[in-house]
Amino acid sequence: MSLVSNLFLIFVLAAVVCYYLAPAKIKWIVLLVFSYVYYLAGGLKYVFFILYSTIVVYLFGRWIDHLQKKDAPQKVLKRVITFGIIMSFLMLVTVKYTGFFIDLFNSAFKLNIPGMAILFPMGISFYTFQSVGYLLDVYWKKAKAETNIFRFALFISFFPQIMQGPIGNYNRLAPQLITPHKYSRESFVKGLTRIVWGFAKKMIIADWAGVFADAIWDDPDYYNGIVFLGLIFYGIQLYADFSGGMDVVIGIGNLFGIEMDENFRQPYLAVSMADFWKRWHITLGDWMMNYVFYPISLSGWMMKFSGWSKKRFGKKMGRIVPIALADLIVFFLVGIWHGASWKYVVYGLLNGGIIAFSELMGPAYRNWKKALNISGKEGWFHIFQIIRTYILVNLRWFYDRSDTLTDGNYLVKQAFTHFDLSQLFDISAGSRGTEYVPIALLIIAVGCAIMVTAGVLKEKGIDLQKKIIALPTPAAAAIYILLFLLIGLFGCTAAPKGFIYAQF
């Protein structure tokens, strides 16, 4: 059931009505039922996967809690949590990476083992990470183990976020899911505002940008003169699509009185790659920071490596080298989380490599700024940092958007060797053909200007969403109607597509 379908909107309306009509004691059960109905709509065969994750993680959480209450030795607890993590990731690794491992095995030993057709359940990457985060929080005594398996099932399956996140933290999300919320005008208006804005970003900006990005990437030999523009269009498409999807998801949560974690914070206004990853897919970044980066940084082998680095490179650099290594490991995992392909390995290592290089070069950067009399507070320098980061971010999209690593390398070459802007007007702008290209480009430009303006205002502490919530109901309703009309008038006329990150 696609988030952009009329059926989904009817489903959400039915869920909201049933939730607020239900007695307080069973409101959470209503959410659980609708969540599983939504998942079942994707196919009965997929339910096995989410049930596996739910039951396995629930049982391991109870087991760890039981051992902790009995003051079991730390060695035993470590074995149990390790086994639990392996069992939790087993399903994800099997369905997502089996084909990749077979290809690697064939290449290494020059064999021809046929690939396997394996089901890929919707949302498996998101609910697996969410459940493992819960398990580790129980192990570290940051969260209490849930004793009711059905309440835990709701935490794993809550339907708005099942397709593309955000990756929820148990302590922040689970209590809200079981709390019987009463209708609140503020929450409802907030939710409607996010939903309508999200659909506008998706159906106007993302889908129009996707028309041009897809045309260029699907036929790079013909459109070899505008590959770099294709890169920019894809960056616009991906951000408007993913953040628009998050607006819809978080807005639906608001309709039930539930506040999910934000996943974006004006990422294209970032001043460095590290800053970008604090603003883009925030819940994945937080997950990697809390459950990968910190455990690695504080591990015994990393402490030994840190000691060796200090002896080898000096105290200052010795502190930085282990952090840079941890960054590389984290972003390698971020890369393969996105998919089982060498292009994602390169994508992850590019991110990690840039951030690690920045860490290593930190002392030199500070010296250069001091020598050039740059304090870092100058307006022009801030703009320079944003532009520099935007360029670095877009260069990574070569490998994110390309089908293979080879295709990505080819497109990098084309982008810097051929320029022919006239090819842009050979692209068919949806059902309206090539004649509509100037209008489509204007729609994208105006849409991006609105997004940037809203982002800049939010950075300055001016939240347009809060201002809409404060308006009288008729005025807020007029804004919703206007946005819906704009979607109808200026929405993309190409074949509709679902949200990009729903495939993960």
Side-chain angles (χ1 to χ4, degrees):
M1 194 187 305
S2 171
L3 268 65
V4 293
S5 66
N6 292 329
L7 180 60
F8 179 73
L9 294 179
I10 294 171
F11 178 83
V12 171
L13 177 62
V16 171
V17 171
C18 290
Y19 181 81
Y20 285 113
L21 289 178
K25 289 183 179 181
I26 66 167
K27 284 185 184 294
W28 70 269
I29 298 176
V30 171
L31 290 180
L32 178 61
V33 170
F34 271 91
S35 294
Y36 266 83
V37 168
Y38 177 77
Y39 207 80
L40 281 165
L44 180 62
K45 54 193 174 185
Y46 297 128
V47 175
F48 165 76
F49 297 93
I50 196 168
L51 284 175
Y52 171 87
S53 290
T54 301
I55 294 170
V56 165
V57 175
Y58 171 78
L59 291 176
F60 271 97
R62 294 295 304 274
W63 189 4
I64 291 169
D65 181 59
H66 173 73
L67 291 173
Q68 288 173 336
K69 287 178 179 177
K70 288 199 166 188
D71 294 322
Q74 191 62 29
K75 287 184 178 179
V76 174
L77 284 167
K78 282 186 177 180
R79 288 171 187 164
V80 173
I81 187 63
T82 301
F83 186 37
I85 291 171
I86 292 171
M87 292 298 291
S88 300
F89 277 119
L90 181 62
M91 189 69 74
L92 174 63
V93 172
T94 300
V95 302
K96 198 167 184 177
Y97 303 103
T98 297
F100 182 60
F101 291 142
I102 289 175
D103 289 341
L104 283 179
F105 196 76
N106 285 339
S107 299
F109 298 100
K110 297 182 179 179
L111 299 174
N112 191 27
I113 300 173
M116 298 172 62
I118 300 177
L119 292 173
F120 190 76
M122 64 181 184
I124 188 169
S125 295
F126 292 100
Y127 66 69
T128 299
F129 272 46
Q130 184 161 303
S131 60
V132 170
Y134 156 81
L135 196 59
L136 285 165
D137 282 344
V138 171
Y139 172 70
W140 290 327
K141 297 183 179 180
K142 292 181 178 180
K144 292 183 178 179
E146 176 57 71
T147 58
N148 186 318
I149 192 170
F150 296 105
R151 288 184 175 181
F152 183 70
L154 174 58
F155 167 69
I156 299 298
S157 66
F158 184 45
F159 79 87
Q161 66 172 157
I162 195 69
M163 287 287 283
Q164 54 183 347
I167 300 170
N169 174 276
Y170 180 79
N171 285 334
R172 290 195 295 270
L173 180 60
Q176 294 187 75
L177 295 174
I178 61 174
T179 298
H181 298 279
K182 294 181 180 179
Y183 170 79
S184 162
R185 178 192 177 277
E186 181 178 344
S187 293
F188 215 78
V189 173
K190 184 192 296 184
L192 287 177
T193 304
R194 291 293 291 266
I195 291 169
V196 176
W197 175 233
F199 279 131
K201 286 163 72 174
K202 161 64 176 172
M203 301 173 75
I204 299 177
I205 304 171
D207 286 354
W208 271 126
V211 166
F212 294 95
D214 292 346
I216 295 166
W217 246 263
D218 291 344
D219 194 0
D221 290 325
Y222 180 81
Y223 294 110
N224 58 7
I226 51 173
V227 168
F228 204 84
L229 284 178
L231 197 67
I232 294 173
F233 283 124
Y234 178 66
I236 295 170
Q237 177 196 13
L238 188 61
Y239 172 64
D241 186 286
F242 195 11
S243 67
M246 287 299 98
D247 287 328
V248 173
V249 167
I250 292 171
I252 292 171
N254 291 152
L255 297 182
F256 297 104
I258 295 166
E259 292 281 349
M260 286 183 276
D261 291 333
E262 293 291 342
N263 225 11
F264 289 90
R265 185 173 60 83
Q266 299 76 251
Y268 285 143
L269 296 179
V271 296
S272 67
M273 286 298 295
D275 186 32
F276 175 83
W277 277 104
K278 292 176 183 177
R279 296 165 172 265
W280 178 283
H281 208 337
I282 296 170
T283 56
L284 176 62
D286 286 348
W287 195 97
M288 288 291 177
M289 184 66 70
N290 294 326
Y291 305 116
V292 179
F293 181 85
Y294 288 140
I296 287 176
S297 301
L298 299 174
S299 64
W301 68 268
M302 183 60 86
M303 292 297 180
K304 291 179 182 178
F305 178 68
S306 178
W308 177 86
S309 298
K310 288 176 182 177
K311 292 179 182 178
R312 181 70 176 81
F313 304 110
K315 288 186 178 180
K316 286 186 179 180
M317 190 59 67
R319 285 194 296 267
I320 297 173
V321 170
I323 294 173
L325 176 60
D327 282 330
L328 279 173
I329 295 171
V330 165
F331 280 98
F332 168 76
L333 294 175
V334 168
I336 61 175
W337 177 87
H338 280 79
S341 171
W342 283 113
K343 70 167 187 172
Y344 287 122
V345 172
V346 172
Y347 169 78
L349 291 178
L350 271 176
N351 282 284
I354 293 170
I355 292 174
F357 181 76
S358 297
E359 292 279 0
L360 294 172
M361 294 296 292
Y365 290 153
R366 287 189 286 273
N367 290 335
W368 294 342
K369 286 168 64 177
K370 186 176 181 180
L372 295 171
N373 198 27
I374 298 172
S375 68
K377 298 179 180 179
E378 297 86 352
W380 68 266
F381 186 72
H382 183 73
I383 294 171
F384 162 76
Q385 289 179 301
I386 291 174
I387 294 172
R388 177 198 60 190
T389 305
Y390 177 77
I391 292 171
L392 289 173
V393 166
N394 274 271
L395 289 176
R396 304 165 318 130
W397 299 141
F398 277 117
Y399 297 100
D400 182 63
R401 179 60 179 82
S402 302
D403 292 331
T404 66
L405 179 59
T406 303
D407 290 344
N409 291 334
Y410 173 75
L411 286 163
V412 170
K413 178 184 176 182
Q414 294 297 97
F416 293 100
T417 55
H418 293 80
F419 301 97
D420 184 3
L421 297 182
S422 65
Q423 290 182 338
L424 187 62
F425 297 91
D426 294 336
I427 296 173
S428 178
S431 63
R432 302 186 182 183
T434 57
E435 293 182 357
Y436 198 73
V437 167
I439 302 299
L441 293 175
L442 180 62
I443 291 171
I444 295 170
V446 172
C448 287
I450 293 172
M451 280 199 305
V452 170
T453 301
V456 170
L457 289 174
K458 198 164 186 178
E459 286 283 293
K460 293 180 179 294
I462 303 171
D463 193 332
L464 296 179
Q465 177 182 301
K466 290 182 179 179
K467 292 190 175 296
I468 293 174
I469 293 170
L471 291 173
T473 300
I479 292 174
Y480 302 145
I481 294 170
L482 176 61
L483 278 173
F484 272 117
L485 288 174
L486 290 174
I487 293 172
L489 289 171
F490 301 113
C492 183
T493 59
K497 291 184 177 181
F499 287 95
I500 294 173
Y501 264 75
Q503 64 184 306
F504 295 101

